[in-house]
Amino acid sequence: MRTCGELAAWFDRKWPESLACSWDNVGLLAGRSNKAVKTVYVALDATEAVIEGAIETNADLLLTHHPLIFGGAKHVSDRDALGRRLLSLIRADISCYCGHTSFDIARGGMGDLAAEQFGLFDRTKEILPLEITGEQEGVPVGIGKIGSLKRTFTAEELAGIVKEQFGIPAVCVYSSGRPVKRVAISPGSGKSMGKAAVCSGADVLITGDMGHHEGLDLVAEGVSLIDAGHYGLEHLFVKAVADALEAEETGLTVVRAPAVYPYQIL
């Protein structure tokens, strides 16, 4: 039977913590490393509903993409949401491991998954990290991907394909009006990726968490924007990690958090 520490080491071998951005918080963030694990609950976020699901399924380890503890926590009490989540996990003796930018950056992680799910890149041409942050086994790795399409599209046509391929109800489009051939895709929050998209010669940036000014600035540079939301491109984490666990760690029960879009468009 695996322990939390052993499963943390398994995740680290596939998507190394050493690749994570310096500002990030990855690894075993709550619980006992020597706790025996029979059931793993995989989710994007450690929300109250997710923690309830982990408790109901008798999970020993909650494995999420986004860190349960991100900024500094000055106390653990029932006076705020973070404290209540931590107390729930501690009472249930559930450990929590978070693989955030380590998973985003690593080979086979979020960037590669998003490029594969997108499905339109011309594989005869090179698909590179949008922003190179380091190396893994001598190969450059980083945030997002940049590549060329097999043919040109309009931003509006591409937006429909993104909705369909990623299974999301809506996207926000800022169109430059120019044909789209070269695509930058950066799952999660893309607020810091605009400059990289422009410098890489992208015709469109597909990402999330963008604002009014970011959209206008990109259009002014001749780059369209498709904002698919933070959840929209990153929910791929749950299937990818759960599939890997089931394939490589026999004897574990792996439970996938239900896919729930975090907000409504009315």
Side-chain angles (χ1 to χ4, degrees), residues 4-15:
C4 288
E6 288 170 338
L7 287 174
W10 169 86
F11 195 100
D12 184 54
R13 285 193 298 272
K14 292 184 68 66
W15 305 289

Side-chain angles (χ1 to χ4, degrees), residues 94-116:
I94 299 174
S95 298
C96 183
Y97 183 96
C98 304
H100 190 211
T101 53
S102 52
F103 185 86
D104 288 338
I105 291 169
R107 295 171 64 188
M110 194 70 79
D112 288 331
L113 290 171
E116 181 179 345

Side-chain angles (χ1 to χ4, degrees), residues 23-172:
W23 47 261
D24 202 8
N25 192 25
V26 300
L28 188 63
L29 303 188
R32 298 183 291 115
S33 59
N34 65 349
K35 177 178 172 56
V37 178
K38 294 180 180 178
T39 301
V40 180
Y41 197 92
V42 185
L44 191 69
D45 297 282
T47 64
E48 286 84 355
V50 162
I51 291 172
E52 287 175 9
I55 294 171
E56 289 171 1
T57 55
N58 295 314
D60 303 294
L61 175 64
L62 172 60
L63 205 165
T64 69
H65 181 48
H66 294 131
L68 171 64
I69 304 169
F70 194 61
K74 294 187 176 181
H75 60 88
V76 178
S77 73
D78 62 359
R79 296 174 62 188
D80 59 33
L82 174 58
R84 289 191 292 272
R85 292 170 187 170
L86 284 166
L87 287 171
S88 294
L89 289 170
I90 292 167
R91 279 196 297 265
D93 194 18
I94 299 174
S95 298
C96 183
Y97 183 96
C98 304
H100 190 211
T101 53
S102 52
F103 185 86
D104 288 338
I105 291 169
R107 295 171 64 188
M110 194 70 79
D112 288 331
L113 290 171
E116 181 179 345
Q117 187 80 12
F118 179 57
L120 294 182
F121 282 120
D122 184 349
R123 294 286 175 174
T124 66
K125 299 180 180 179
E126 204 166 19
I127 302 171
L128 299 170
L130 177 58
E131 181 179 79
I132 295 174
T133 59
E135 287 189 354
Q136 184 179 5
E137 298 175 352
V139 177
V141 293
I143 301 292
K145 292 292 178 180
I146 177 76
S148 296
L149 303 182
K150 299 171 185 176
R151 67 174 180 87
T152 59
F153 292 82
T154 67
E156 292 78 8
E157 288 173 333
L158 213 57
I161 293 169
V162 169
K163 287 171 58 179
E164 180 179 356
Q165 292 298 93
F166 289 90
I168 51 180
V171 297
C172 179

Side-chain angles (χ1 to χ4, degrees), residues 10-11 15 40 42 63 103 113 236-246 254:
W10 169 86
F11 195 100
W15 305 289
V40 180
V42 185
L63 205 165
F103 185 86
L113 290 171
L236 305 176
F237 172 88
V238 176
K239 182 180 186 305
V241 173
D243 283 354
L245 276 169
E246 288 174 338
V254 181

Side-chain angles (χ1 to χ4, degrees), residues 44-45 168 209 228-236 258-263:
L44 191 69
D45 297 282
I168 51 180
D209 288 356
H230 201 121
Y231 178 89
L233 303 183
E234 287 201 325
H235 64 82
L236 305 176
V260 178
Y261 208 74
Y263 59 87

